[in-house]
Amino acid sequence: MAILVTGGAGYIGSHTVKYLQERDEEIVVVDNLKNGHREALDGVKLYPIDLRNQEVLDRVFKEHSISSVIHFAANSLVGESMEHPFEYYHNNLYGTMNLLKAMKENGTCKIVFSSTAAVYGEPEETPITENCGTDPTNPYGETKLAMEKMMKWFDQAYGIRYVSLRYFNAAGAHYTGLIGEAHDPETHLIPLILQVPSGKREKIFIFGDNYDTNDGTCIRDYIHVMDLASAHGKALDYLRKGNSSNIFNLGNGRGYSVMEVIEKARKVTEHPIPAEVEKRRAGDPAVLVASSEKAKKILDWEPRYEDLQMIIEDAWRWHRNHPKGY
Ligand code: UFG
């Protein structure tokens, strides 16, 4: 019996595939390769298809005995979603609908879903628990929340059980430095900072230093991509044991400001990394920090990389060796 990983050639998807391979799981990947990279996969069957193509997706389910699904395939950039909401609704919702339909028709009844802290919008409290209200401030978060809701109703009607994992800020790379984060264009803080010592940019821009935080810059909860990968494994174990559908936050529970991240990166890379303050980026909440107590307690998940320095060291190993990505 195989696990179908959608979006398995993307950043978090490919690290999860690697983790599952280390656990000797049988894996099949579908990825339209728009943001994913063939080179991020080694020794797994890849179907380069889009979930919106129901016919081809059905063929994958017919060719393999799929026992469970891990669903990453989605558009996932906040800024882009504000400019192209149609594409976000079409890809994220229609793709998920087709996937759940194929699962229903083929008797696949377990799905682990890649969700996001963006479902919370401006947080009501810190740290954020799963009980906090959801009120996304962009189409990306809105579509992820709608995908979660779709799963809730498919569970009720057809018994497809789901675990939704709401990640905070994914960062880092596999310790081998063979796979890592490679987006084009890159918008995330840590890879952008590391482009300075890699010689790809002269300085990093800090988006606002007048927030209500210690040093005035935004605080985020950075979580190592391999800790996210292991959480997917734990979520799968949870569903395999017959447990009911559930939602979990994934973060370290500790926030770092943009200034602190830059300072750590200077230490790791031994490069001065010049920084310049710019105006605020629209829609950035001042502080986003997770409470992951629920995942620790119920999934028996424990992040192994609590220290931001370790996360940046792994990211740097990847970026130093692959300044142009794959
Ligand atoms: N930042 C800068 N300069 C940059 C890039 C980012 O100062 O060049 C700042 C941002 O303003 C923010 C922090 O660094 O305060 C982190 O920004 P990222 O773009 O790396 O990440 P976000 O916190 O915006 O986004 C993350 C996930 C999204 C998710 C969102 C939830 O990447 O998928 O959290 O709010 F939707």
Side-chain angles (χ1 to χ4, degrees):
M1 296 291 269
I3 304 166
L4 175 69
V5 184
T6 77
Y11 172 43
I12 305 172
S14 61
H15 286 77
T16 302
V17 167
K18 196 150 192 75
Y19 174 84
L20 295 172
Q21 283 178 301
E22 285 162 8
R23 256 174 54 158
D24 281 334
E25 302 270 10
E26 190 190 336
I27 299 152
V28 176
V29 169
V30 301
D31 195 304
N32 68 8
L33 298 178
K34 213 175 131 231
N35 299 309
H37 305 272
R38 211 180 267 280
E39 302 87 335
L41 297 171
D42 185 16
V44 286
K45 174 85 182 155
L46 164 70
Y47 289 87
I49 61 158
D50 196 294
L51 293 182
R52 286 170 287 188
N53 188 338
Q54 184 84 62
E55 217 181 292
V56 196
L57 184 62
D58 281 341
R59 226 177 293 146
V60 177
F61 274 84
K62 292 284 172 290
E63 274 173 34
H64 299 271
S65 184
I66 309 280
S67 60
S68 41
V69 172
I70 305 185
H71 181 31
F72 294 100
N75 289 10
S76 61
L77 295 177
V78 171
E80 186 186 64
S81 77
M82 299 290 278
E83 283 169 38
H84 304 286
F86 170 79
E87 182 57 28
Y88 274 68
Y89 274 84
H90 195 250
N91 186 28
N92 295 2
L93 291 184
Y94 186 41
T96 301
M97 245 165 75
N98 277 350
L99 175 67
L100 291 172
K101 181 167 177 269
M103 288 178 68
K104 167 183 169 276
E105 284 168 2
N106 290 279
T108 305
C109 62
K110 295 184 274 299
I111 180 164
V112 177
F113 174 55
S114 162
S115 189
T116 169
V119 299
Y120 294 110
E122 277 286 343
E124 290 166 350
E125 58 186 50
T126 294
I128 302 172
T129 69
E130 294 79 357
N131 294 328
C132 285
T134 49
D135 188 10
T137 52
N138 51 66
Y140 166 59
E142 201 76 75
T143 55
K144 285 277 175 170
L145 186 59
M147 288 151 92
E148 284 188 359
K149 297 252 170 85
M150 211 190 280
M151 287 176 207
K152 178 179 119 180
W153 297 114
F154 272 63
D155 180 7
Q156 193 156 311
Y158 314 120
I160 296 178
R161 284 173 300 116
Y162 68 94
V163 166
S164 180
L165 300 174
R166 294 176 175 168
Y167 327 141
F168 283 61
N169 290 60
H174 193 262
Y175 72 92
T176 55
L178 293 173
I179 57 170
E181 191 168 5
H183 297 118
D184 188 18
E186 188 51 76
T187 62
H188 295 113
L189 181 65
I190 292 179
L192 283 175
I193 293 175
L194 295 176
Q195 283 183 359
V196 182
S198 309
K200 280 182 77 185
R201 67 170 53 231
E202 277 176 19
K203 59 186 162 198
I204 182 77
F205 290 103
I206 297 172
F207 297 150
D209 67 349
N210 54 357
Y211 285 94
D212 186 15
T213 60
N214 275 353
D215 60 23
T217 64
C218 286
I219 292 178
R220 294 289 180 273
D221 184 341
Y222 296 88
I223 177 83
H224 197 290
V225 65
M226 289 311 293
D227 281 331
L228 293 181
S230 73
H232 289 77
K234 295 275 187 184
L236 209 54
D237 296 341
Y238 169 91
L239 288 174
R240 281 172 174 163
K241 282 183 202 144
N243 290 303
S244 50
S245 295
N246 220 328
I247 295 178
F248 301 96
N249 286 343
L250 298 178
N252 266 312
R254 149 118 214 239
Y256 290 91
S257 73
V258 173
M259 297 277 211
E260 285 173 327
V261 178
I262 296 170
E263 207 38 65
K264 285 271 184 214
R266 286 176 178 143
K267 198 169 154 202
V268 169
T269 61
E270 295 176 346
H271 186 284
I273 311 184
E276 189 180 310
V277 177
E278 262 256 7
K279 63 178 184 352
R280 289 180 175 201
R281 188 172 66 177
D284 271 340
V287 182
L288 285 177
V289 176
S291 160
S292 301
E293 292 314 306
K294 187 176 167 192
K296 288 181 183 168
K297 203 167 138 212
I298 297 178
L299 294 181
D300 186 30
W301 172 75
E302 197 61 55
R304 292 177 55 207
Y305 302 85
E306 280 175 276
D307 181 2
L308 180 65
Q309 183 153 331
M310 290 163 77
I311 297 178
I312 296 179
E313 277 166 6
D314 281 353
W316 179 228
R317 192 174 304 117
W318 156 256
H319 287 287
R320 197 180 45 208
N321 296 330
H322 302 83
K324 295 193 177 121
Y326 285 99

